[in-house]
Amino acid sequence: MDLKVIFLGTAGSVPTPKRSLPAILIKRKGEQLLFDCGEGVQRQMVIAGASFHKATKVFITHMHGDHVLGLPGLMQTMALHDRDKPLIIYGPLGIRKFVECIRETVQFGLTFPIEIHEVGEAGVVCETPEYVVQAIWANHVTPSLAYALVEKPRPGKFYPEKAKALGVPEGPLWGQLQRGKAAKLPDGRTIKPEDVLGSPRPGRKIVYTGDTRPFEGLAEFAAGADLLIHDATLGDELAERAAEDGHSTPSQAAEMAKKAGVKRLVLTHISARYEDASVLLEQARKIFENTTVAEDFLTVEVPFSSE
Ligand SMILES: [Zn+2]
Ligand SMILES: [Zn+2]
């Protein structure tokens, strides 16, 4: 599977014997996208078999310690492994100063460049030929971003019989058409990709709220997502407390999943008071059946919806 989500840390605020601090690793083709970087993330990566060498982008939702204090340790371990690829970090205002301060004061002996992108406004924060990462402001007690990884549509299915019927010789021209590019035939005719391909196939979409109260705009931001990863720090019985602290309850997350029409909901940032999180799961499932409460190292594969 070329798109896999591994929950490296699923606790909220403080670690527990079973839960490490927030960090969600998305493995996509040869790349690693790490959403939040709670303390202890490097050890969780070792256990999960993640790499300190691969192309890696880190997306920080907000500057609370439980979401960023894993960065110094991660940088240190990457240096000790002689990493040479850049580490690319996205986050809200403050992320640059934080990383620069620890670089100035801690003797890292960094072996790789660090690239920092401060995200000042909502929108596309990172774009590659195959996907974009978008951000939107969430509703926490400090400026906090929710992120969406959205793959671009792929060219439709290739029909060899159509290519043959149009007289396209088998070989490089077939490949060109399969990649969505027009092909010029030896006899001068030009064949368009849509002449031999089915309709474009949608990419996949994963949304991570970070710490947040339920907020206007998320339903649209997460619309149709294959996977919504939502804050569910406290149970429904503590809804008032959750609102005060800038968090959500399972029912609120489930309502959002339903409204956004997502395929699957995973709850995370679980308070230390829930040694057994099944009560949270029950609350959410009353509203949205396809819900899971994340545990550390839960792995979710995200397949293409249909061919
Ligand atoms: Zn938090
Ligand atoms: Zn927070």
Side-chain angles (χ1 to χ4, degrees):
M1 181 59 59
D2 70 345
L3 187 63
K4 204 189 256 187
V5 183
I6 306 173
F7 290 81
L8 297 178
T10 59
S13 313
V14 291
T16 73
K18 287 189 190 148
R19 296 182 186 274
S20 193
L21 289 167
I24 298 165
L25 180 70
I26 299 185
K27 288 186 172 181
R28 186 185 179 281
K29 297 190 174 172
E31 195 183 20
Q32 303 184 128
L33 308 173
L34 181 63
F35 290 84
D36 279 331
C37 197
E39 188 194 335
V41 70
Q42 43 173 335
R43 187 156 183 277
Q44 300 299 92
M45 286 175 70
V46 170
I47 297 170
S51 165
F52 296 115
H53 294 284
K54 278 191 180 150
T56 301
K57 293 174 183 144
V58 180
F59 298 86
I60 300 293
T61 57
H62 65 298
M63 294 306 295
H64 277 160
D66 53 330
H67 297 254
V68 291
L69 290 176
L71 270 175
L74 178 63
M75 286 157 60
Q76 177 69 88
T77 294
M78 283 178 162
L80 291 172
H81 279 81
D82 291 325
R83 178 186 179 86
D84 52 14
K85 288 196 184 72
L87 179 67
I88 306 169
I89 302 171
Y90 299 82
L93 195 68
I95 189 69
R96 183 184 305 281
K97 193 169 175 199
F98 171 67
V99 173
E100 279 170 4
C101 284
I102 48 180
R103 279 185 77 171
E104 277 168 26
T105 49
V106 179
Q107 308 290 309
F108 281 126
L110 285 189
T111 55
F112 56 92
I114 292 180
E115 212 182 289
I116 301 169
H117 300 268
E118 267 181 345
V119 179
E121 53 188 298
V124 171
V125 299
C126 158
E127 177 158 16
T128 77
E130 295 192 357
Y131 64 80
V132 295
V133 175
Q134 297 166 340
I136 187 176
W137 292 109
N139 182 354
H140 193 35
V141 291
T142 190
S144 193
L145 296 157
Y147 289 106
L149 167 66
V150 184
E151 290 181 327
K152 296 178 181 176
R154 299 165 299 144
K157 191 172 185 297
F158 177 67
Y159 293 100
E161 60 279 15
K162 287 191 182 175
K164 278 182 196 155
L166 287 165
V168 185
E170 203 172 335
L173 290 179
W174 279 29
Q176 207 171 306
L177 287 162
Q178 279 167 345
R179 289 192 298 276
K181 295 206 170 66
K184 200 161 166 56
L185 302 190
D187 64 11
R189 283 181 301 138
T190 299
I191 305 297
K192 291 195 236 90
E194 53 267 34
D195 297 335
V196 294
L197 299 180
S199 38
R201 294 170 288 185
R204 294 158 294 187
K205 178 172 173 179
I206 299 172
V207 175
Y208 170 49
T209 63
D211 289 6
T212 192
R213 303 176 182 102
F215 66 99
E216 192 67 31
L218 180 64
E220 196 187 323
F221 187 69
D226 296 272
L227 174 63
L228 171 62
I229 303 164
H230 203 297
D231 174 329
T233 305
L234 293 168
D236 292 351
E237 67 288 355
L238 293 171
E240 220 169 284
R241 169 81 194 280
E244 266 169 40
D245 296 351
H247 293 294
S248 299
T249 67
S251 290
Q252 290 167 341
E255 288 288 359
M256 199 53 82
K258 201 167 145 186
K259 211 167 152 192
V262 306
K263 296 199 180 80
R264 181 170 181 178
L265 171 66
V266 175
L267 306 178
T268 192
H269 201 274
I270 308 302
S271 160
R273 71 174 67 218
Y274 301 100
E275 206 181 315
D276 173 7
S278 59
V279 51
L280 304 179
L281 184 64
E282 276 168 37
Q283 292 171 356
R285 278 200 175 153
K286 280 187 195 141
I287 297 161
F288 190 82
E289 176 57 32
N290 197 8
T291 303
T292 309
V293 176
E295 290 163 15
D296 285 14
F297 305 111
L298 166 72
T299 300
V300 176
E301 298 196 336
V302 186
F304 286 110
S305 48
S306 59
E307 287 303 302

